[in-house]
Amino acid sequence: MLTDVRGHPVNGTNGTGKRTPNNPFQEPAPGRSLHWQEDAACRTVDSELFFPPIDAPRHEVRAAERKAKRLCSSCPVQRECLEAALEADERFGVWGGMSARERRRKFGRTKAKAQSSK
């Protein structure tokens, strides 16, 4: 079950981990590929837009993030992409319309950090 920083269930889950009708992280709609990447708006775009070089100046990184998020906003599999990034503990890049920094703020610590602090 996906939770936010405070441990509250993300929209659409009921605290039991079961999916509810308004859950944004449910199975793809009928007719949509089970392989969400095939339907992604970014599949033919240079990955540097979503993963700018580490040594790039901050303003260039932010500009790339804004462009990537604009593309994500019209993507039919944006939610599937975000869910995949959260499940895989992606620490870099724009996924599902959110930067790594935004994902950390909204969903809290990464799995690796959470496990190492136990």
Side-chain angles (χ1 to χ4, degrees):
M1 173 177 58
L2 295 173
T3 58
D4 64 14
V5 176
R6 294 182 185 102
H8 298 116
V10 173
N11 290 341
T13 61
N14 59 11
T16 64
K18 294 182 179 177
R19 298 177 190 280
T20 60
N22 63 345
N23 184 354
F25 301 112
Q26 58 194 358
E27 295 299 319
R32 183 176 289 166
S33 171
L34 293 176
H35 302 287
W36 62 267
Q37 296 97 336
E38 294 173 7
D39 296 329
C42 64
R43 74 175 190 270
T44 60
V45 177
D46 184 359
S47 63
E48 194 168 296
L49 179 64
F50 297 88
F51 300 94
I54 293 174
D55 59 350
R58 181 176 284 173
H59 71 278
E60 289 180 14
V61 171
R62 298 294 187 259
E65 285 178 351
R66 284 190 300 274
K67 286 181 183 178
K69 289 176 188 180
R70 277 194 298 273
L71 184 60
C72 291
S73 70
S74 65
C75 183
V77 293
Q78 180 180 3
R79 290 182 177 168
E80 290 91 335
C81 179
L82 178 58
E83 182 179 40
L86 294 171
E87 287 178 1
D89 198 20
E90 290 289 347
R91 297 179 188 176
F92 302 99
V94 173
W95 290 83
M98 295 181 82
S99 68
R101 183 178 62 261
E102 292 166 331
R103 291 190 305 273
R104 279 191 304 274
R105 285 183 187 151
K106 181 161 179 117
F107 297 104
R109 300 186 306 172
T110 64
K111 291 178 190 174
K113 286 183 184 177
Q115 290 173 352
S116 68
S117 67
K118 289 183 178 180

